[in-house]
C-alpha cells in the first residue's frame, strides 16, 4: 500500500470524505461536488487509491457509489464488478480487432 504521506492533498481529502461500508456509499458526483473537483478526476482518484492498495469499493445497485470496503461481501462484490468490466472491455476490443487488417498502423 502507498504510504499515506505520499498521497496528494486531494487524495487525502477524498479518503476523509469516503464513508465506511456499502450501505453508506456515496456517488462520485456527490463526492466530486463536495471536493470541488470534476467527476472524471474523482474516478481517477478511485483508480489511483485502489492501485495503491486502498480498499475502495463500488456498487452499481442502491445505494450506488463508492465506499471503504469493510466486509468480505463488499470486497468480492467490488472484485466481481471490476472483473465484469474487464470482460466487457475485452469483448469490445475483440469485436473491433476483427477489422484490424483493414487498417494499417502509421
Amino acid at each position: 500500500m502507498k504510504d499515506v504521506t505520499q498521497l496528494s492533498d486531494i487524495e487525502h481529502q477524498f479518503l476523509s470524505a469516503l464513508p465506511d461500508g456499502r450501505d453508506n456509499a456515496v456517488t462520485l458526483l456527490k463526492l466530486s461536488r463536495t471536493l470541488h473537483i470534476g467527476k472524471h478526476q474523482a474516478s481517477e482518484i478511485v483508480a489511483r487509491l485502489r492501485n495503491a492498495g486502498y480498499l475502495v469499493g463500488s456498487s452499481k445497485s442502491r445505494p450506488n457509489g463508492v465506499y471503504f470496503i469493510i466486509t468480505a461481501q463488499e470486497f468480492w462484490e467490488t472484485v466481481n464488478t471490476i472483473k465484469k468490466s474487464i470482460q466487457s472491455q475485452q469483448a469490445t476490443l475483440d469485436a473491433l480487432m476483427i477489422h484490424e487488417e483493414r487498417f494499417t498502423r502509421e
Side-chain angles (χ1 to χ4, degrees), residues 21-55:
R22 182 178 180 271
D23 290 342
N24 301 307
V26 62
T27 65
L28 282 180
L29 182 59
K30 184 174 180 179
L31 265 179
S32 64
R33 287 180 176 164
T34 298
L35 299 173
H36 306 289
I37 60 175
K39 186 178 173 187
H40 182 74
Q41 185 179 0
S43 181
E44 289 175 338
I45 291 170
V46 168
R48 283 197 307 269
L49 290 172
R50 284 176 171 169
N51 289 340
Y54 289 90
L55 293 173

Side-chain angles (χ1 to χ4, degrees), residues 85-99:
S85 177
I86 291 167
Q87 290 165 350
S88 174
Q89 290 290 313
Q90 187 63 57
T92 301
L93 179 59
D94 293 345
L96 283 172
M97 293 308 290
I98 291 170
H99 305 283

Side-chain angles (χ1 to χ4, degrees), residues 9 11 18 50 103 105:
D9 287 342
E11 289 169 336
L18 205 58
R50 284 176 171 169
F103 301 93
R105 289 190 183 220

